[in-house]
Amino acid sequence: MQLQDILYSQGFGTRRVCAGLVQQGHVAVYQPGVPEPVLCEDSSQDFEEEGLRFRVQGVDWPFKAKAYVMLHKPAGTECSQKPSAYPSVFTLLPAPLRQRPSKSSVQGVQAVGRLDQDTTGLLILTDDGPFIHRLNSPKRHVPKVYDVTAKHEVTPAQIQKLRDGVLLHDENATVRAAACEQTGSHTFQLTLTEGKYHQVKRMVAAAGNRVEGLHRSRIGGIELPADLAPGQWRWINDDALSLLTTTT
């Protein structure tokens, strides 16, 4: 693939913009056995995409046919391209991830499921549409683990209610936690395999308590890394991705 097409596919702008980046000396490509990238001034030069690494304006990037990233969502952010009251989580991502070309009307990576503005924790984003559909499908029963802080002291009866199932407002059938374990006087860990609107908050209310703090720590086989600070993102490596895809 030509270098300008590679850069375009990775979200660095139109093909014309990408060609300009190369011609202006802003792009260097890593070569086998060479520790530092080699400046490339020919935007039509062909490269093998598999395993390709390059540097654009001083920042290193790996070639990704599809982008899969995790983000530690901070409180006070919305999982929307067009937020209504709080900053968008997409502003925490670099421009190439937001600009990756797509056949749909929306460019860039999209969130796989949303978290409320006051909820923190693991958010997965990708430009792989079928992957998003699989992960969001209720038929897949992908477990999502939440650390809940309650307003009132948590009782064994409330934990049991969440395990047995509670009836939510405007729902015809009860919903239950796949797992629920108390971790403190006002805290517990809740595992769900569904994705209903405000489900954790509604379930806790139906059990007789109220959510004061909510943090998602795991999706499928992927756990939020302890060293990934709020607002930071990183690529999901192949090993971690396999842990997720095996559940989907």
Side-chain angles (χ1 to χ4, degrees), residues 3-29 38-44 54-59 61 95-96 99:
L3 183 56
Q4 61 186 1
D5 293 328
I6 289 173
L7 296 176
Y8 167 74
S9 74
Q10 302 301 288
F12 288 93
T14 64
R15 287 181 175 83
R16 184 173 182 178
V17 168
C18 292
L21 286 171
V22 177
Q23 293 162 6
Q24 293 165 23
H26 294 310
V27 181
V29 179
V38 178
L39 187 66
C40 184
E41 297 178 325
D42 181 3
S43 62
S44 63
F54 48 91
R55 182 175 293 174
V56 180
Q57 296 178 314
V59 179
W61 291 88
Q99 298 171 174

Side-chain angles (χ1 to χ4, degrees), residues 85-204:
Y86 297 87
S88 169
V89 294
F90 293 96
T91 63
L92 301 171
L93 300 174
L97 286 177
R98 303 195 309 268
Q99 298 171 174
R100 288 173 67 94
S102 172
K103 294 180 181 179
S104 70
S105 59
V106 182
Q107 287 186 317
V109 296
Q110 306 300 311
V112 183
R114 296 188 175 190
L115 293 176
D116 296 340
Q117 61 83 16
D118 57 347
T119 301
T120 63
L122 178 60
L123 191 65
I124 294 175
L125 305 104
T126 180
D127 59 347
D128 185 343
F131 176 86
I132 293 175
H133 177 74
R134 291 198 307 272
L135 207 60
N136 282 338
S137 173
K139 297 179 181 179
R140 299 288 179 167
H141 301 293
V142 178
K144 300 175 180 66
V145 179
Y146 297 88
D147 299 317
V148 183
T149 301
K151 180 176 182 179
H152 309 292
E153 187 170 350
V154 178
T155 67
Q158 290 171 354
I159 297 295
Q160 195 59 48
K161 281 184 180 180
L162 293 168
R163 291 173 180 163
D164 293 340
V166 292
L167 184 63
L168 305 183
H169 182 63
D170 292 335
E171 296 280 349
N172 296 323
T174 59
V175 292
R176 59 182 292 274
C180 189
E181 298 294 336
Q182 188 166 352
T183 55
S185 63
H186 289 69
T187 60
F188 58 95
Q189 192 171 78
L190 184 73
T191 302
L192 300 178
T193 56
E194 302 172 274
K196 297 180 182 295
Y197 180 71
H198 288 171
Q199 185 172 351
V200 175
K201 294 177 179 177
R202 294 165 68 200
M203 287 180 67
V204 173

